[in-house]
Amino acid sequence: MQFYSTNNPDLRVDLKEAVIRSLPADNGLYMPVSISPLPDSFWENWRTMSFSDLGFHVAKNFFQDAIPEADLKKIVQDAINFDAPLVPLTESSNILELFHGPTLAFKDFGARFMARLMAYLTKDDTDELTVLVATSGDTGGAVASAFHNVAGTRVIILYPKGGVSDLQEKQLTTLGGNISALEVEGTFDDCQRMVKACFLDTDLAKKHNLTSANSINISRLLPQSFYYFHAARQLLDKHENTPEIEPTFVIPSGNFGNLTAGLIAQQMGLKVRQFVAATNVNDVVPRYLAEGNYEPVDSIATISNAMDVGAPSNFARMQNFFGDDWETMRENISGLAFTDEETREAIKTVKDKLGYTIDPHGAVGWLASEIWQQADPSSHTIILETAHPSKFIDTMESELGAGNIEIPERLACLADLEKVAKLVKPDPQEVIDFLG
Ligand SMILES: *Cc1c(COP(=O)(O)O)cnc(C)c1O
């Protein structure tokens, strides 16, 4: 299987190059040359397969013959060893819980798959692989957990000082071993720029065998397409007597990797009625969809911090999917943005009226679902609940009251561990110095 750059359709690389290099030298993003529709044999069985089998068949279709079947099956089975259940909120709205992995956010799907795929692709290499990753909250924890103690890898995580919750910070600063954290005196966009600058320095990238674990890496996106299929079949199970139902996916978005994974699923043949991109006040994409002008700006801090992105890194991929055509993109994707005040109110309403504890990111999604269903009353929405509410305990407790949020043990146990991070200025040179 081959990949091209969004900046140069003639540039072609193989799977290993796309996954390990992450980013083409021309500053574009890697895209698969073609995404084939899933075969009839898949659609005959997809409703009853296990989740990891479903993932395997989707991955096999995506990678074609680039990885032997038995190896690919093992990678998917090891990575996707937890569920993504659909929880009905009302007759026509549903929550897809994506937080049942080890670090309680959907990032576990991508990070766990990518870590295993990278280890597989480099198993015969001698050089240590250095994984550089910028995080707005959940990526760092998922990547740290996925790569911890993986032989031949070293992970450096950049995160904005004060920009992530306490428990999120503990997830990236307490593992030690092959995992290091740089606390950047700047925003997430600064972190992202610093990582990108290191990659674009080809000598540096070569010297340290740099790879990226951000959603610019195509191997993180693919496993996220698995749960779109899984969600759709659970929706069909819920409405056994209406087999023609097609889901409307409402996706709380920051870098738009999750949404791009939905587009991959759609290209493989999944029937989707509409994608609704839900953002906080960092609304470059909703504004683009409304007006046709794409104007990246500095990000603004909000209570849904994992979506505080002013220059979404997957936007180029989304445009590419729609042949750079604004009209086509807005027919398929709608955008809605909400303030922190609305989000806080939504957290309370969803708890009081529907009995569900929703995190700030999911709450932005719920708001979008409510507005969307006014425009399309017969739609059935699936709101992606991208993280467990306990990851944002301060915000949650201020809305729902202290002591009302259950913290799963795998997160609670981090509270007493000591944070180890190096404080740095928002300058790529700091990363270069740290690399040594
Ligand atoms: C990363 C993240 C998002 C944003 O996902 P993108 O793929 O960057 O759009 C939303 N919510 C949570 C909780 C996240 O961790």
Side-chain angles (χ1 to χ4, degrees), residues 105-107 138 252-258 306-307 359 361 386-387 392:
F106 80 87
K107 303 293 200 300
D138 293 316
S253 293
N255 263 323
F256 285 79
N258 221 354
M307 311 198 297
D359 98 292
H361 305 80
T386 47
F392 312 97

Side-chain angles (χ1 to χ4, degrees), residues 308-370:
D308 295 350
V309 183
S313 59
N314 278 290
F315 185 72
R317 279 200 178 105
M318 291 164 63
Q319 278 195 304
N320 206 265
F321 266 114
F322 296 106
D324 293 311
D325 184 52
W326 173 64
E327 292 285 348
T328 323
M329 195 197 287
R330 67 196 298 239
E331 275 164 27
N332 285 273
I333 307 175
S334 308
L336 292 164
F338 301 91
T339 64
D340 276 358
E341 202 182 340
E342 292 169 307
T343 308
R344 288 185 186 281
E345 206 50 49
I347 291 170
K348 283 203 285 268
T349 308
V350 172
K351 180 72 185 177
D352 295 346
K353 301 245 160 69
L354 303 165
Y356 190 83
T357 306
I358 200 163
D359 98 292
H361 305 80
V364 169
W366 180 78
L367 285 162
S369 169
E370 289 293 292

